[in-house]
Amino acid sequence: MAEVKLFGVWASPFSRRIEMALKLKGVKYEFIEEDLKKKSPLLLKYNPVHKQIPVLVHNGKPIAESLVILEYIDETWEGPAILPKDPYERAQARFWAKFLDEKCIPAMWKACWSTGDEREKAREEVIEILGILDNEIKGKKFFGGDNIGLVDIAGNLIGYWFGIITELAGLEIVTEDKLPNFRKWINEYNNCSFVKENLPPKDKLIVFLKARFEAFNTSK
Ligand SMILES: N[C@@H](CCC(=O)N[C@@H](CS)C(=O)NCC(=O)O)C(=O)O
């Protein structure tokens, strides 16, 4: 029987991406919680380049970087497709997943963790970037169509974590006025039973993130 291990952190949207994909495919796995302040020798051995979670280890072979792992899972196990079959649609899904990681997430972090004038500028920038996604999701239930796909799984940070983080940071970003379609997707996403079952409980995540915000505020 295949041996599947996931090195991750319960509160990390990146390792939750992998858990979502494994659950979608019905793959049994062992979850190994890492302490990122004291990374295990195994994590450093399996991901010597980035030294980050998540790392999936399949029959002793490690795979790092969450978007790469998602594709590996889709190609390795049967079950609901994560990427579309059509080559053009596949390329589009990869494009938007890359856009999330390279544009949306950095802009989002900047808005939540900056202060003063920089914060307002960063808020405007993130609204502009999310506006591109707002246009992309218009008229669709999920980025994957009627079902959750690569972009929705990769989008857990902007779909779930982001709402909690902006609330803690006291920022208003996703309004009906500015991002109506993106807001609709967020509602759809958070009400989807599969998503709810596979993301960390909100109260536990709030406590975790609040501690990070408090540490940030006292370090300013
Ligand atoms: N590009 C990576 C990002 C993963 C990532 O940011 N992991 C963080 C935890 S959420 C981490 O391991 N941080 C520890 C470090 O960078 O030292 C991916 O998609 O897998």
Side-chain angles (χ1 to χ4, degrees), residues 6 35-36 49-50 55 71-72 74 80 82 92 119 121 134 138:
L6 174 63
D35 174 358
L36 295 180
V49 175
H50 298 296
V55 175
E71 292 212 28
Y72 178 83
D74 200 30
I82 293 171
Q92 289 303 300
R119 182 172 147 114
K121 198 165 155 260
D134 187 81
K138 196 172 176 176

mmCIF file with all atom_site columns, all heavy atoms in Angstrom, residues 6 35-36 49-50 55 71-72 74 80 82 92 119 121 134 138:
data_model
loop_
_atom_site.group_PDB
_atom_site.id
_atom_site.type_symbol
_atom_site.label_atom_id
_atom_site.label_alt_id
_atom_site.label_comp_id
_atom_site.label_asym_id
_atom_site.label_entity_id
_atom_site.label_seq_id
_atom_site.pdbx_PDB_ins_code
_atom_site.Cartn_x
_atom_site.Cartn_y
_atom_site.Cartn_z
_atom_site.occupancy
_atom_site.B_iso_or_equiv
_atom_site.pdbx_formal_charge
_atom_site.auth_seq_id
_atom_site.auth_comp_id
_atom_site.auth_asym_id
_atom_site.auth_atom_id
_atom_site.pdbx_PDB_model_num
ATOM 1   N N   . LEU A 1 6   ? 2.394   13.939 4.910   1.00 0.00 ? 6   LEU A N   1
ATOM 2   C CA  . LEU A 1 6   ? 2.392   15.374 4.634   1.00 0.00 ? 6   LEU A CA  1
ATOM 3   C C   . LEU A 1 6   ? 3.022   16.109 5.806   1.00 0.00 ? 6   LEU A C   1
ATOM 4   O O   . LEU A 1 6   ? 2.547   16.014 6.937   1.00 0.00 ? 6   LEU A O   1
ATOM 5   C CB  . LEU A 1 6   ? 0.950   15.871 4.398   1.00 0.00 ? 6   LEU A CB  1
ATOM 6   C CG  . LEU A 1 6   ? 0.782   17.381 4.245   1.00 0.00 ? 6   LEU A CG  1
ATOM 7   C CD1 . LEU A 1 6   ? 1.529   17.901 3.016   1.00 0.00 ? 6   LEU A CD1 1
ATOM 8   C CD2 . LEU A 1 6   ? -0.695  17.761 4.138   1.00 0.00 ? 6   LEU A CD2 1
ATOM 9   N N   . ASP A 1 35  ? 7.177   22.304 13.553  1.00 0.00 ? 35  ASP A N   1
ATOM 10  C CA  . ASP A 1 35  ? 7.342   23.519 14.340  1.00 0.00 ? 35  ASP A CA  1
ATOM 11  C C   . ASP A 1 35  ? 8.303   24.386 13.518  1.00 0.00 ? 35  ASP A C   1
ATOM 12  O O   . ASP A 1 35  ? 9.491   24.058 13.396  1.00 0.00 ? 35  ASP A O   1
ATOM 13  C CB  . ASP A 1 35  ? 7.944   23.156 15.711  1.00 0.00 ? 35  ASP A CB  1
ATOM 14  C CG  . ASP A 1 35  ? 8.266   24.395 16.531  1.00 0.00 ? 35  ASP A CG  1
ATOM 15  O OD1 . ASP A 1 35  ? 8.070   25.521 16.025  1.00 0.00 ? 35  ASP A OD1 1
ATOM 16  O OD2 . ASP A 1 35  ? 8.707   24.234 17.689  1.00 0.00 ? 35  ASP A OD2 1
ATOM 17  N N   . LEU A 1 36  ? 7.771   25.461 12.919  1.00 0.00 ? 36  LEU A N   1
ATOM 18  C CA  . LEU A 1 36  ? 8.608   26.237 11.987  1.00 0.00 ? 36  LEU A CA  1
ATOM 19  C C   . LEU A 1 36  ? 9.724   27.019 12.684  1.00 0.00 ? 36  LEU A C   1
ATOM 20  O O   . LEU A 1 36  ? 10.650  27.494 12.037  1.00 0.00 ? 36  LEU A O   1
ATOM 21  C CB  . LEU A 1 36  ? 7.739   27.163 11.136  1.00 0.00 ? 36  LEU A CB  1
ATOM 22  C CG  . LEU A 1 36  ? 6.784   26.432 10.184  1.00 0.00 ? 36  LEU A CG  1
ATOM 23  C CD1 . LEU A 1 36  ? 5.958   27.410 9.392   1.00 0.00 ? 36  LEU A CD1 1
ATOM 24  C CD2 . LEU A 1 36  ? 7.544   25.498 9.238   1.00 0.00 ? 36  LEU A CD2 1
ATOM 25  N N   . VAL A 1 49  ? 15.927  23.120 -0.443  1.00 0.00 ? 49  VAL A N   1
ATOM 26  C CA  . VAL A 1 49  ? 16.007  24.377 -1.202  1.00 0.00 ? 49  VAL A CA  1
ATOM 27  C C   . VAL A 1 49  ? 15.247  25.488 -0.485  1.00 0.00 ? 49  VAL A C   1
ATOM 28  O O   . VAL A 1 49  ? 15.798  26.541 -0.164  1.00 0.00 ? 49  VAL A O   1
ATOM 29  C CB  . VAL A 1 49  ? 15.466  24.165 -2.638  1.00 0.00 ? 49  VAL A CB  1
ATOM 30  C CG1 . VAL A 1 49  ? 15.438  25.481 -3.403  1.00 0.00 ? 49  VAL A CG1 1
ATOM 31  C CG2 . VAL A 1 49  ? 16.334  23.150 -3.378  1.00 0.00 ? 49  VAL A CG2 1
ATOM 32  N N   . HIS A 1 50  ? 13.969  25.264 -0.201  1.00 0.00 ? 50  HIS A N   1
ATOM 33  C CA  . HIS A 1 50  ? 13.153  26.327 0.416   1.00 0.00 ? 50  HIS A CA  1
ATOM 34  C C   . HIS A 1 50  ? 13.021  26.187 1.929   1.00 0.00 ? 50  HIS A C   1
ATOM 35  O O   . HIS A 1 50  ? 12.655  27.143 2.606   1.00 0.00 ? 50  HIS A O   1
ATOM 36  C CB  . HIS A 1 50  ? 11.759  26.352 -0.216  1.00 0.00 ? 50  HIS A CB  1
ATOM 37  C CG  . HIS A 1 50  ? 11.780  26.661 -1.683  1.00 0.00 ? 50  HIS A CG  1
ATOM 38  N ND1 . HIS A 1 50  ? 12.219  27.866 -2.171  1.00 0.00 ? 50  HIS A ND1 1
ATOM 39  C CD2 . HIS A 1 50  ? 11.436  25.917 -2.765  1.00 0.00 ? 50  HIS A CD2 1
ATOM 40  C CE1 . HIS A 1 50  ? 12.142  27.857 -3.500  1.00 0.00 ? 50  HIS A CE1 1
ATOM 41  N NE2 . HIS A 1 50  ? 11.666  26.681 -3.883  1.00 0.00 ? 50  HIS A NE2 1
ATOM 42  N N   . VAL A 1 55  ? 5.461   19.707 2.481   1.00 0.00 ? 55  VAL A N   1
ATOM 43  C CA  . VAL A 1 55  ? 6.179   18.715 1.676   1.00 0.00 ? 55  VAL A CA  1
ATOM 44  C C   . VAL A 1 55  ? 5.347   17.433 1.711   1.00 0.00 ? 55  VAL A C   1
ATOM 45  O O   . VAL A 1 55  ? 4.917   16.999 2.789   1.00 0.00 ? 55  VAL A O   1
ATOM 46  C CB  . VAL A 1 55  ? 7.591   18.419 2.241   1.00 0.00 ? 55  VAL A CB  1
ATOM 47  C CG1 . VAL A 1 55  ? 8.261   17.296 1.445   1.00 0.00 ? 55  VAL A CG1 1
ATOM 48  C CG2 . VAL A 1 55  ? 8.478   19.656 2.191   1.00 0.00 ? 55  VAL A CG2 1
ATOM 49  N N   . GLU A 1 71  ? -0.577  19.446 -8.513  1.00 0.00 ? 71  GLU A N   1
ATOM 50  C CA  . GLU A 1 71  ? -0.579  18.804 -9.840  1.00 0.00 ? 71  GLU A CA  1
ATOM 51  C C   . GLU A 1 71  ? -0.156  17.336 -9.719  1.00 0.00 ? 71  GLU A C   1
ATOM 52  O O   . GLU A 1 71  ? -0.686  16.470 -10.401 1.00 0.00 ? 71  GLU A O   1
ATOM 53  C CB  . GLU A 1 71  ? 0.352   19.552 -10.802 1.00 0.00 ? 71  GLU A CB  1
ATOM 54  C CG  . GLU A 1 71  ? -0.196  20.926 -11.142 1.00 0.00 ? 71  GLU A CG  1
ATOM 55  C CD  . GLU A 1 71  ? 0.168   21.388 -12.540 1.00 0.00 ? 71  GLU A CD  1
ATOM 56  O OE1 . GLU A 1 71  ? 0.358   20.534 -13.434 1.00 0.00 ? 71  GLU A OE1 1
ATOM 57  O OE2 . GLU A 1 71  ? 0.263   22.609 -12.730 1.00 0.00 ? 71  GLU A OE2 1
ATOM 58  N N   . TYR A 1 72  ? 0.821   17.096 -8.835  1.00 0.00 ? 72  TYR A N   1
ATOM 59  C CA  . TYR A 1 72  ? 1.279   15.711 -8.637  1.00 0.00 ? 72  TYR A CA  1
ATOM 60  C C   . TYR A 1 72  ? 0.119   14.843 -8.139  1.00 0.00 ? 72  TYR A C   1
ATOM 61  O O   . TYR A 1 72  ? -0.101  13.733 -8.636  1.00 0.00 ? 72  TYR A O   1
ATOM 62  C CB  . TYR A 1 72  ? 2.451   15.692 -7.638  1.00 0.00 ? 72  TYR A CB  1
ATOM 63  C CG  . TYR A 1 72  ? 2.945   14.296 -7.340  1.00 0.00 ? 72  TYR A CG  1
ATOM 64  C CD1 . TYR A 1 72  ? 3.855   13.669 -8.187  1.00 0.00 ? 72  TYR A CD1 1
ATOM 65  C CD2 . TYR A 1 72  ? 2.468   13.597 -6.226  1.00 0.00 ? 72  TYR A CD2 1
ATOM 66  C CE1 . TYR A 1 72  ? 4.294   12.378 -7.929  1.00 0.00 ? 72  TYR A CE1 1
ATOM 67  C CE2 . TYR A 1 72  ? 2.903   12.302 -5.964  1.00 0.00 ? 72  TYR A CE2 1
ATOM 68  C CZ  . TYR A 1 72  ? 3.815   11.695 -6.818  1.00 0.00 ? 72  TYR A CZ  1
ATOM 69  O OH  . TYR A 1 72  ? 4.246   10.416 -6.565  1.00 0.00 ? 72  TYR A OH  1
ATOM 70  N N   . ASP A 1 74  ? -3.047  15.358 -8.521  1.00 0.00 ? 74  ASP A N   1
ATOM 71  C CA  . ASP A 1 74  ? -4.049  15.180 -9.584  1.00 0.00 ? 74  ASP A CA  1
ATOM 72  C C   . ASP A 1 74  ? -3.627  14.110 -10.587 1.00 0.00 ? 74  ASP A C   1
ATOM 73  O O   . ASP A 1 74  ? -4.442  13.328 -11.063 1.00 0.00 ? 74  ASP A O   1
ATOM 74  C CB  . ASP A 1 74  ? -4.263  16.526 -10.293 1.00 0.00 ? 74  ASP A CB  1
ATOM 75  C CG  . ASP A 1 74  ? -5.583  16.562 -11.034 1.00 0.00 ? 74  ASP A CG  1
ATOM 76  O OD1 . ASP A 1 74  ? -6.531  15.883 -10.573 1.00 0.00 ? 74  ASP A OD1 1
ATOM 77  O OD2 . ASP A 1 74  ? -5.693  17.256 -12.059 1.00 0.00 ? 74  ASP A OD2 1
ATOM 78  N N   . PRO A 1 80  ? -12.110 12.961 -8.332  1.00 0.00 ? 80  PRO A N   1
ATOM 79  C CA  . PRO A 1 80  ? -12.480 14.235 -8.964  1.00 0.00 ? 80  PRO A CA  1
ATOM 80  C C   . PRO A 1 80  ? -11.244 14.986 -9.465  1.00 0.00 ? 80  PRO A C   1
ATOM 81  O O   . PRO A 1 80  ? -10.228 15.034 -8.769  1.00 0.00 ? 80  PRO A O   1
ATOM 82  C CB  . PRO A 1 80  ? -13.172 15.003 -7.837  1.00 0.00 ? 80  PRO A CB  1
ATOM 83  C CG  . PRO A 1 80  ? -13.583 13.971 -6.843  1.00 0.00 ? 80  PRO A CG  1
ATOM 84  C CD  . PRO A 1 80  ? -12.605 12.841 -6.952  1.00 0.00 ? 80  PRO A CD  1
ATOM 85  N N   . ILE A 1 82  ? -8.662  17.865 -10.373 1.00 0.00 ? 82  ILE A N   1
ATOM 86  C CA  . ILE A 1 82  ? -8.290  19.159 -9.784  1.00 0.00 ? 82  ILE A CA  1
ATOM 87  C C   . ILE A 1 82  ? -8.018  20.155 -10.911 1.00 0.00 ? 82  ILE A C   1
ATOM 88  O O   . ILE A 1 82  ? -8.450  21.300 -10.869 1.00 0.00 ? 82  ILE A O   1
ATOM 89  C CB  . ILE A 1 82  ? -7.068  18.986 -8.856  1.00 0.00 ? 82  ILE A CB  1
ATOM 90  C CG1 . ILE A 1 82  ? -7.470  18.133 -7.640  1.00 0.00 ? 82  ILE A CG1 1
ATOM 91  C CG2 . ILE A 1 82  ? -6.526  20.341 -8.394  1.00 0.00 ? 82  ILE A CG2 1
ATOM 92  C CD1 . ILE A 1 82  ? -6.326  17.706 -6.742  1.00 0.00 ? 82  ILE A CD1 1
ATOM 93  N N   . GLN A 1 92  ? -4.967  27.882 -18.330 1.00 0.00 ? 92  GLN A N   1
ATOM 94  C CA  . GLN A 1 92  ? -5.634  29.007 -17.668 1.00 0.00 ? 92  GLN A CA  1
ATOM 95  C C   . GLN A 1 92  ? -5.664  28.810 -16.151 1.00 0.00 ? 92  GLN A C   1
ATOM 96  O O   . GLN A 1 92  ? -5.423  29.742 -15.395 1.00 0.00 ? 92  GLN A O   1
ATOM 97  C CB  . GLN A 1 92  ? -7.085  29.148 -18.184 1.00 0.00 ? 92  GLN A CB  1
ATOM 98  C CG  . GLN A 1 92  ? -7.182  29.648 -19.606 1.00 0.00 ? 92  GLN A CG  1
ATOM 99  C CD  . GLN A 1 92  ? -6.480  30.993 -19.777 1.00 0.00 ? 92  GLN A CD  1
ATOM 100 O OE1 . GLN A 1 92  ? -6.812  31.985 -19.139 1.00 0.00 ? 92  GLN A OE1 1
ATOM 101 N NE2 . GLN A 1 92  ? -5.480  31.031 -20.617 1.00 0.00 ? 92  GLN A NE2 1
ATOM 102 N N   . ARG A 1 119 ? -0.179  51.915 4.276   1.00 0.00 ? 119 ARG A N   1
ATOM 103 C CA  . ARG A 1 119 ? -1.310  50.987 4.444   1.00 0.00 ? 119 ARG A CA  1
ATOM 104 C C   . ARG A 1 119 ? -2.453  51.323 3.488   1.00 0.00 ? 119 ARG A C   1
ATOM 105 O O   . ARG A 1 119 ? -3.023  50.454 2.851   1.00 0.00 ? 119 ARG A O   1
ATOM 106 C CB  . ARG A 1 119 ? -1.775  51.076 5.903   1.00 0.00 ? 119 ARG A CB  1
ATOM 107 C CG  . ARG A 1 119 ? -2.898  50.155 6.275   1.00 0.00 ? 119 ARG A CG  1
ATOM 108 C CD  . ARG A 1 119 ? -3.052  50.265 7.771   1.00 0.00 ? 119 ARG A CD  1
ATOM 109 N NE  . ARG A 1 119 ? -4.414  50.103 8.201   1.00 0.00 ? 119 ARG A NE  1
ATOM 110 C CZ  . ARG A 1 119 ? -4.844  49.073 8.935   1.00 0.00 ? 119 ARG A CZ  1
ATOM 111 N NH1 . ARG A 1 119 ? -4.025  48.134 9.295   1.00 0.00 ? 119 ARG A NH1 1
ATOM 112 N NH2 . ARG A 1 119 ? -6.090  49.014 9.326   1.00 0.00 ? 119 ARG A NH2 1
ATOM 113 N N   . LYS A 1 121 ? -2.257  52.994 0.670   1.00 0.00 ? 121 LYS A N   1
ATOM 114 C CA  . LYS A 1 121 ? -1.785  52.731 -0.695  1.00 0.00 ? 121 LYS A CA  1
ATOM 115 C C   . LYS A 1 121 ? -1.859  51.226 -0.975  1.00 0.00 ? 121 LYS A C   1
ATOM 116 O O   . LYS A 1 121 ? -2.323  50.792 -2.030  1.00 0.00 ? 121 LYS A O   1
ATOM 117 C CB  . LYS A 1 121 ? -0.339  53.235 -0.828  1.00 0.00 ? 121 LYS A CB  1
ATOM 118 C CG  . LYS A 1 121 ? 0.093   53.417 -2.239  1.00 0.00 ? 121 LYS A CG  1
ATOM 119 C CD  . LYS A 1 121 ? 1.369   54.257 -2.314  1.00 0.00 ? 121 LYS A CD  1
ATOM 120 C CE  . LYS A 1 121 ? 2.098   53.933 -3.590  1.00 0.00 ? 121 LYS A CE  1
ATOM 121 N NZ  . LYS A 1 121 ? 3.211   53.006 -3.436  1.00 0.00 ? 121 LYS A NZ  1
ATOM 122 N N   . ASP A 1 134 ? -12.046 39.443 -9.641  1.00 0.00 ? 134 ASP A N   1
ATOM 123 C CA  . ASP A 1 134 ? -13.493 39.703 -9.612  1.00 0.00 ? 134 ASP A CA  1
ATOM 124 C C   . ASP A 1 134 ? -14.076 39.548 -11.016 1.00 0.00 ? 134 ASP A C   1
ATOM 125 O O   . ASP A 1 134 ? -15.122 38.947 -11.224 1.00 0.00 ? 134 ASP A O   1
ATOM 126 C CB  . ASP A 1 134 ? -13.725 41.129 -9.090  1.00 0.00 ? 134 ASP A CB  1
ATOM 127 C CG  . ASP A 1 134 ? -15.191 41.437 -8.867  1.00 0.00 ? 134 ASP A CG  1
ATOM 128 O OD1 . ASP A 1 134 ? -15.722 41.048 -7.811  1.00 0.00 ? 134 ASP A OD1 1
ATOM 129 O OD2 . ASP A 1 134 ? -15.815 42.039 -9.766  1.00 0.00 ? 134 ASP A OD2 1
ATOM 130 N N   . LYS A 1 138 ? -16.636 36.328 -12.526 1.00 0.00 ? 138 LYS A N   1
ATOM 131 C CA  . LYS A 1 138 ? -17.973 36.817 -12.881 1.00 0.00 ? 138 LYS A CA  1
ATOM 132 C C   . LYS A 1 138 ? -18.788 35.737 -13.617 1.00 0.00 ? 138 LYS A C   1
ATOM 133 O O   . LYS A 1 138 ? -18.308 35.147 -14.592 1.00 0.00 ? 138 LYS A O   1
ATOM 134 C CB  . LYS A 1 138 ? -17.803 38.038 -13.796 1.00 0.00 ? 138 LYS A CB  1
ATOM 135 C CG  . LYS A 1 138 ? -19.027 38.887 -13.939 1.00 0.00 ? 138 LYS A CG  1
ATOM 136 C CD  . LYS A 1 138 ? -18.629 40.131 -14.703 1.00 0.00 ? 138 LYS A CD  1
ATOM 137 C CE  . LYS A 1 138 ? -19.838 40.980 -14.961 1.00 0.00 ? 138 LYS A CE  1
ATOM 138 N NZ  . LYS A 1 138 ? -19.445 42.224 -15.612 1.00 0.00 ? 138 LYS A NZ  1
#
